[in-house]
Amino acid sequence: MNWGVLHSIATVSAFVAFIGVAWWAYSPKNKKRFEEDAQLALDDRDTQTLSSDQRTKDIQ
């Protein structure tokens, strides 16, 4: 296997990863979550008043 083949495999792998991330980011099922996360900087609620489930929603 020469360098050209390895570069081609790396390029295709990077492209597939990019498509996967783009699909995940623009998936309709993630829209509500991303809209909520976008409002976090503007949210006045203190993290002390949030339950542990609300603070760790991404971990589950």
Side-chain angles (χ1 to χ4, degrees):
M1 211 181 297
N2 60 14
W3 287 106
V5 173
L6 292 176
H7 286 185
S8 297
I9 291 170
T11 300
V12 170
S13 298
F15 181 70
V16 168
F18 173 77
I19 295 298
V21 169
W23 182 328
W24 170 76
Y26 290 104
S27 169
K29 70 178 184 175
N30 289 326
K31 182 176 181 173
K32 181 181 178 206
R33 177 180 158 218
F34 289 146
E35 286 176 352
E36 290 173 356
D37 290 348
Q39 295 299 318
L40 285 177
L42 305 174
D43 197 0
D44 289 338
R45 290 187 300 175
D46 188 14
T47 58
Q48 300 294 332
T49 62
L50 297 176
S51 71
S52 65
D53 289 340
Q54 291 171 323
R55 285 193 306 263
T56 59
K57 70 177 183 176
D58 290 337
I59 296 173
Q60 298 173 358

